[in-house]
């Protein structure tokens, strides 16, 4: 599995053709703090919604600290998604290393 550091993700997001951000947290977490333009599919709903995602697209999956998103990334790879990375440290690390305006919880 590929892990992507928050600062490396920031660089990728600032370039043309950024990856799709896939948030696998719960709705209440998403409502509290999120990355711009992220798609929310809670981990418990990912299997039933995988058909709504493009297996050819580039994804960066994130959660609170990186555990759920690591599981989601592995699942997506097992379903034929070839370009999936896990945001190392999750949205909490993003807040600490990239954008302090994103709420920590």
């Amino acid at each position: 599995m590929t892990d992507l550091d928050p600062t490396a993700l920031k660089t990728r997001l600032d370039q043309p053709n950024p990856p799709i951000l896939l948030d696998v947290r719960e709705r209440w977490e998403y409502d509290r703090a999120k990355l711009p333009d992220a798609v929310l599919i809670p981990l418990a709903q990912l299997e039933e919604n995988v058909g709504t995602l493009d297996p050819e697209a580039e994804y960066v999956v994130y959660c609170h600290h990186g555990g759920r998103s690591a599981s989601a990334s592995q699942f997506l790879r097992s379903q034929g998604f070839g370009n999936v990375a896990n945001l190392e440290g999750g949205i909490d690390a993003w807040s600490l290393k990239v954008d302090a305006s994103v709420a920590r919880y």
Side-chain angles (χ1 to χ4, degrees), residues 15-93:
Q15 295 174 351
N17 303 312
I20 297 168
L21 298 173
L22 179 60
D23 187 332
V24 296
R25 298 173 302 148
E26 296 299 318
R27 166 63 68 181
W28 71 267
E29 294 174 287
Y30 179 85
D31 290 343
R32 183 167 218 166
K34 63 183 167 265
L35 300 182
D37 301 317
V39 174
L40 174 65
I41 302 178
L43 182 59
Q45 298 170 14
L46 185 57
E47 186 172 346
E48 66 191 62
N49 287 289
V50 71
T52 66
L53 302 174
D54 178 2
E56 301 300 318
E58 177 185 4
Y59 291 92
V60 175
V61 186
Y62 74 93
C63 64
H64 190 196
H65 289 117
R68 285 175 284 179
S69 54
S71 295
S73 296
Q74 289 175 340
F75 170 73
L76 290 172
R77 287 185 181 279
S78 78
Q79 299 300 302
F81 288 73
N83 199 354
V84 179
N86 178 47
L87 178 58
E88 188 176 275
I91 198 165
D92 193 58

